[in-house]
Amino acid sequence: VQLQAFGGGLVQFGGSLRLSCAASGSIFTLFGMSWYRQGPGKQRELVATITIAGDTSYADSVKGRFTISRDRGKGTMYLQMNSLESEDTAVYYCNANTLGTLSTPRIDYWGQGTQVTVSS
């Protein structure tokens, strides 16, 4: 599975941005897809996750502002980011994973990052 993230850029405080992550290859094996981010001097953190069933979860810091979605047919994941704040400045990474079992370990795939910069 290959992942390619795009859509980052420079946006003003309070603005919006939409990130996309295109998956190719054996996308039928994927269970969940997620967005992570790593801000300057910070550890990488989980931002949002969406499962094959469409269940979503968000980090507390982005709840109510970010929306994750997925087009399974296209193998594409999106992150709509609204009301952006300076603290949202980070490199955003897309992640996809298979469902691990007792006999098959979970596999994580990573795309390259896309920079999001929020100016005040």
Side-chain angles (χ1 to χ4, degrees), residues 39-62:
K42 299 180 181 179
Q43 291 187 331
R44 189 175 297 190
E45 63 174 349
L46 177 62
V47 176
T49 296
I50 186 166
T51 69
I52 194 171
D55 298 322
T56 60
S57 60
Y58 298 90
D60 288 342
S61 59
V62 306

Side-chain angles (χ1 to χ4, degrees), residues 1 23-32 52 70 72 75 97-99:
V1 174
S24 59
S26 301
I27 61 175
F28 62 91
T29 65
L30 300 178
F31 174 74
I52 194 171
R70 178 178 180 178
R72 290 180 57 188
N97 66 274
T98 62
L99 181 63

Side-chain angles (χ1 to χ4, degrees), residues 5-21 34-38 45-49 58-59 61-69 77-94 113-119:
F6 50 95
L10 176 65
V11 61
Q12 288 188 334
F13 182 92
S16 299
L17 207 58
R18 188 194 197 204
L19 304 183
S20 301
C21 176
S34 302
W35 287 99
Y36 286 74
R37 68 184 181 186
Q38 187 166 15
E45 63 174 349
L46 177 62
V47 176
T49 296
Y58 298 90
S61 59
V62 306
K63 280 182 181 177
R65 300 188 298 120
F66 290 11
T67 302
I68 189 171
S69 60
M77 173 179 64
Y78 307 96
L79 185 68
Q80 178 65 44
M81 306 185 293
N82 299 327
S83 302
L84 283 162
E85 305 168 352
S86 300
E87 291 72 24
D88 297 318
T89 294
V91 177
Y92 284 71
Y93 299 89
C94 58
T114 184
Q115 177 72 47
V116 173
T117 303
V118 183
S119 63

Side-chain angles (χ1 to χ4, degrees), residues 91-109:
V91 177
Y92 284 71
Y93 299 89
C94 58
N95 163 277
N97 66 274
T98 62
L99 181 63
T101 66
L102 290 176
S103 57
T104 306
R106 165 179 166 154
I107 300 174
D108 280 89
Y109 302 95

